[in-house]
């Protein structure tokens, strides 16, 4: 794109301020700025600014909102064994790919680097990526299969993510089975709907939300790669859910048995205002209403007589997506709703100096993967799960969905495994575990597996729980 073209286009859309620094830039930075301007989807942005910034869009209207019917968790389902068998068969046949979305900016955690590089191991300081990789090692060994791992990144963290994996030897996984690919970016706007610059030659922009995984899978060739390997379904998970059970056989099995297009796990909400999206049936169609939009639908905040939420199905963002469904829903992506978030967006001032605002100063726009639910043609699948051992989202360091909360939850979870395997764990007067615990998911993914593998240590041989304890991938003690 040439300067004159860029200026004409920007003037037409009232965005010519983007060229403010152009005359002072050297040639390569001028070219970079023109490239950014050329990449803007003006058709989309005009619509978003008009609908979401210049006007307050009316919420989607539903005449009926009902709780979703949930398939019971494995421990409460008399047919669980058949479902698990079906899931295990799909794994053995190599039909399952892993799909990790890791393109987010992780602003609330404020960690310098990709969120997946966060050293979550309470004793070992192993990263989130390493924990997920160890789960893959376990499953590949158990089912004698290859689980190709598709990792969606964004401009903001693609290079750092790839570097982190290669610096860590891809955590022992074969790099030929790991594919990184980028999602698209969307410009941010200020409160008047004007684009912003994050540097004199660069637009302030954000990744287009986890819903951006649909076009990204198709357009980068990741889906085709999976198809070529015989994969026909993806186990979708998010990088910041440390505990997530990737490629859970029970969940896969139910998806397979029902011929589902998209399946979702659900956990019981603790209280009506909890910061988690709510799965519900809106006029008979599956939806997730984000917690930021709960006030638009007061019935979602209603409680039963015992005080528990009427709409209790929280969305932990764990799905199975069939390859055929992704191919089809790709054609519907233009009809996905966009969501607006009011955020602190760093920008350059008139002197070209970067300003880090201390209050929200603009909007970013995103699409969400769960908005694919409305395009499902077969009956969707919603499965209940227990939160411990499945859902520990890490959004901040402290608070509800935080590093500290995840550590507490996993400490208690792993303490039960140790106790069940005959190694008492020290607890205080309130019953809280007083040491830090960590068990590699490569060594054991479930309590049953842990007990079985722990037994060869011999009768009377206990794990040394007098001090912090980390059990490594091969059952070895680490970082004592
Ligand atoms: P969140 O919506 O919690 O965002 O992402 P975030 O980027 O991790 O954190 P904040 O909001 O900036 O603090 C949930 C999951 O979706 C992925 C994230 O990487 C995380 O795994 N995600 C989010 C993407 O892959 N792309 C996006 O555009 C947004």
């Amino acid at each position: 794109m040439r300067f004159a073209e860029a200026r004409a286009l920007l003037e037409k859309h009232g965005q010519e301020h983007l060229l403010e620094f152009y005359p002072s830039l050297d040639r390569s930075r001028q070219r970079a700025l023109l490239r950014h301007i050329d990449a803007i989807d003006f058709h989309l942005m005009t619509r978003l600014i008009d609908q979401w910034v210049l006007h307050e869009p009316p919420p989607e209207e539903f005449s009926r909102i009902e709780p979703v019917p949930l398939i019971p968790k494995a421990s409460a389902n008399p047919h669980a064994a058949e479902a698990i068998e079906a899931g295990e068969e799909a794994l053995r046949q190599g039909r399952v790919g892993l799909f990790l979305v890791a393109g987010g900016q992780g602003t609330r955690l404020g960690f310098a680097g990709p969120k997946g590089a966060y050293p979550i191991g309470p004793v070992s300081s192993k990263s989130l990526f390493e924990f997920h990789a160890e789960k893959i090692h376990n499953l590949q060994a158990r089912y004698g299969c290859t689980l190709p791992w598709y990792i969606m990144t964004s401009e903001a963290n693609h290079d750092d993510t790839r570097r982190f994996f290669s610096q860590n030897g891809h955590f022992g996984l074969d790099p030929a089975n790991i594919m990184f690919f980028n999602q698209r970016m969307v410009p941010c706007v200020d409160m008047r709907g004007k684009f912003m610059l994050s540097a004199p030659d660069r637009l302030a922009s954000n990744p287009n939300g986890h819903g951006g995984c649909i076009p990204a899978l198709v357009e980068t060739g990741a889906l085709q790669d999976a198809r070529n390997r015989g994969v026909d379904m993806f186990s979708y998970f998010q990088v910041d859910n440390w505990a997530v059970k990737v490629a859970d056989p029970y969940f896969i099995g139910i998806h397979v048995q029902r011929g589902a297009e998209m399946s979702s796990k659900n956990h019981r909400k603790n209280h009506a205002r909890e910061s988690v999206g709510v799965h519900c049936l809106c006029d008979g169609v599956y939806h997730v209403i984000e917690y930021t939009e709960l006030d638009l639908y007061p019935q979602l905040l209603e409680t039963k007589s015992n005080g528990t939420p009427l709409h209790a199905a929280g969305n932990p963002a764990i799905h199975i997506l069939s390859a055929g469904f992704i191919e089809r829903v790709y054609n519907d992506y233009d009809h996905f709703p966009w969501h607006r978030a009011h955020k602190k967006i760093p920008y350059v001032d008139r002197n070209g100096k970067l300003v880090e605002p201390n209050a929200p100063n603009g909007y970013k726009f995103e699409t969400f993967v769960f908005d694919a639910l409305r395009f499902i043609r077969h009956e969707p699948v919603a499965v209940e799960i227990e939160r411990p051992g499945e859902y520990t989202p890490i959004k901040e360091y402290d608070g509800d969905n935080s590093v500290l909360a995840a550590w507490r939850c996993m400490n208690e979870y792993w303490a039960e495994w140790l106790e069940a395997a005959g190694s008492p764990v020290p607890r205080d007067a309130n019953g809280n575990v007083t040491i830090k615990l960590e068990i590699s998911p490569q060594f054991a993914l479930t309590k049953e597996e842990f007990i079985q593998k722990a037994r060869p240590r011999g009768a009377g041989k206990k794990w040394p729980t007098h001090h912090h304890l980390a059990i490594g991938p091969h059952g070895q003690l680490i970082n004592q």
Side-chain angles (χ1 to χ4, degrees), residues 14 22 29 56 72 101 140 145 158 178 204 245 287 415 437 453:
Y22 186 87
R29 296 183 76 196
E56 198 62 37
V101 292
Q140 293 192 148
C145 63
H158 184 80
I178 305 179
K245 280 190 177 151
H287 278 257
L437 298 171
K453 286 190 169 169

Side-chain angles (χ1 to χ4, degrees), residues 1 3-20 33-34 37-38 40 42 194-195 203:
M1 173 176 266
F3 174 74
E5 272 175 273
R7 190 175 54 194
L9 189 60
L10 292 172
E11 278 174 358
K12 182 170 155 206
H13 293 280
Q15 302 283 2
E16 58 277 13
H17 59 284
L18 289 187
L19 292 170
E20 195 175 347
L33 180 58
L34 294 180
I37 294 168
D38 197 21
I40 299 173
F42 278 96
K194 300 290 178 191
F195 296 142
L203 251 84

Side-chain angles (χ1 to χ4, degrees), residues 100-109 115 152 154 157 183 206-210 236-240 343 364 366 368 394-395:
L100 172 64
V101 292
Q105 293 166 305
T107 39
R108 284 168 289 173
L109 185 59
K115 215 183 203 183
M152 184 173 83
S154 64
N157 61 25
Q183 63 181 119
N206 60 270
N208 60 351
H210 37 65
Y236 168 103
F237 62 109
Q238 303 197 331
V239 73
D240 53 10
K343 292 276 177 180
K364 70 180 197 182
E366 294 183 315
F368 294 155
I394 289 162
K395 304 295 178 191

